[in-house]
Amino acid sequence: MASQVLVALALSLVGGFSTSLGALLVILSGAPNLKMLGLLQGFAAGLMLSISFLDLAHNAINSIGFLKGNLWFFAGVILFAFVTHFVPEPTLAPGSDIKRKKDEDDGGKDVMKKHRRQVLFSGIITAIGISLHNFPEGMAVFLGSIKGLRVGLNLALAIALHNIPEGVAVALPVYFATQSKWQAFKLATLSGFAEPLGVIIVAYLFPSSLSPEILEGLLGSVGGVMAFLTLHEMLPLAFDYAGPKHAVKVVFLGMACMSASLYFGNEPAEGFELIV
């Protein structure tokens, strides 16, 4: 069990530090390329849809039956819908909005200071919101890693791509407000630490061994969480930033890549059990 926790922790750190990569894009280039971020979101959405429906939900239905599998799946959907209702996913402010606020410097220093405070506050709120969203993603990586390294790795890859724009969303307003590259990088990185924290907490709460039926049900719920995250948050951003035609293409490209990964890296699912 300890080795599985370490693997899950390592994978969640990859996803968590992807917010740092997003911050680096802001620090090095100022305004991010929104179209590229949209394409990344679309590709990650394709990966996530394949994992959710063709792997996690599919295996849950095959292992514990159609009814139970669907109940677990939609329990995950409802859970994450509840989370997003109270903590909506922060959206990335276009670079033009930041520049427009900067241009208003002509209106006087007091006005500019007010804008900086407002933008800094929005960056902090964004970091808190992203942290709350990253927490269940860390739980998903942990449960996937228990099932097998392939499942955990696939989830971590898709989540890592999704987290890059989140790092941009935190770093951009903080960098504008403080003019500090370090502050922007630090806050974006800290927002990603919620993901490994989710691994640690769920590893502490869960028993050292789970029956295959419960584990498959939980993974079905993870599929529901990932499906809701994709359809509710990732696809709309991909459509907004990259345009519908380009977004749809990279979504199917992501699905094809993940389907190939599932085919060539398929592991036998039966007979596994957790060992302390």
Side-chain angles (χ1 to χ4, degrees), residues 185-208:
F185 181 81
K186 179 175 69 175
L187 195 58
T189 301
L190 287 174
S191 69
F193 278 154
E195 198 160 311
L197 181 62
V199 170
I200 293 171
I201 291 178
V202 78
Y204 176 78
L205 293 177
F206 273 56
S208 58

Side-chain angles (χ1 to χ4, degrees), residues 41-61:
Q41 283 287 82
F43 185 77
L47 297 178
M48 205 84 86
L49 285 174
S50 284
I51 295 172
S52 300
F53 292 108
L54 303 181
D55 189 13
L56 299 176
H58 172 76
N59 287 338
I61 290 172

Side-chain angles (χ1 to χ4, degrees), residues 41 50 53 67 72 91 109 113 122 132 146 156 167 180 195 222 245 265:
Q41 283 287 82
S50 284
F53 292 108
L67 179 60
W72 278 100
T91 55
K109 290 184 178 180
K113 285 181 180 179
S122 72
L132 293 174
I146 290 178
S180 169
E195 198 160 311
V222 169
K245 291 184 178 180

Side-chain angles (χ1 to χ4, degrees), residues 33-270:
N33 185 328
L34 292 184
K35 183 175 181 180
M36 181 57 66
L37 292 177
L39 292 175
L40 274 176
Q41 283 287 82
F43 185 77
L47 297 178
M48 205 84 86
L49 285 174
S50 284
I51 295 172
S52 300
F53 292 108
L54 303 181
D55 189 13
L56 299 176
H58 172 76
N59 287 338
I61 290 172
N62 283 343
S63 300
I64 61 179
F66 183 84
L67 179 60
K68 288 183 179 179
N70 274 279
L71 288 175
W72 278 100
F73 177 85
F74 285 104
V77 170
I78 294 170
L79 171 65
F80 206 70
F82 182 80
V83 171
T84 55
H85 177 73
F86 291 99
V87 189
E89 176 79 4
T91 55
L92 178 61
S96 58
D97 290 350
I98 300 296
K99 289 179 180 177
R100 178 168 50 80
K101 290 182 183 292
K102 213 168 186 177
D103 291 339
E104 290 173 356
D105 188 28
D106 297 334
K109 290 184 178 180
D110 291 339
V111 175
M112 190 61 184
K113 285 181 180 179
K114 181 180 178 181
H115 283 318
R116 288 189 186 278
R117 285 196 299 269
Q118 290 173 340
V119 173
L120 177 60
F121 180 73
S122 72
I124 294 172
I125 294 299
T126 299
I128 294 172
I130 287 174
S131 298
L132 293 174
H133 275 78
N134 284 347
F135 183 79
E137 291 173 359
M139 297 171 65
V141 171
F142 173 76
L143 292 171
S145 300
I146 290 178
K147 176 70 180 291
L149 179 60
R150 174 185 59 81
V151 178
L153 190 60
N154 288 340
L155 280 170
L157 173 62
I159 290 171
L161 291 175
H162 168 60
N163 284 354
I164 293 174
E166 291 186 344
V168 173
V170 174
L172 190 61
V174 174
Y175 185 37
F176 166 77
T178 65
Q179 298 297 302
S180 169
K181 295 180 178 180
W182 168 242
Q183 291 295 333
F185 181 81
K186 179 175 69 175
L187 195 58
T189 301
L190 287 174
S191 69
F193 278 154
E195 198 160 311
L197 181 62
V199 170
I200 293 171
I201 291 178
V202 78
Y204 176 78
L205 293 177
F206 273 56
S208 58
S209 61
L210 290 171
S211 70
E213 181 174 340
I214 295 296
L215 180 56
E216 287 292 353
L218 288 170
L219 287 170
S221 293
V222 169
V225 168
M226 297 295 104
F228 186 90
L229 172 67
T230 303
L231 298 174
H232 185 261
E233 298 170 5
M234 297 171 70
L235 279 181
L237 284 179
F239 276 54
D240 286 345
Y241 297 159
K245 291 184 178 180
H246 291 96
V248 168
K249 290 176 183 177
V250 293
V251 166
F252 280 109
L253 178 61
M255 293 182 72
C257 290
M258 184 54 65
S259 295
S261 170
L262 294 174
Y263 176 76
F264 290 108
N266 193 29
E267 301 171 355
E270 70 270 1

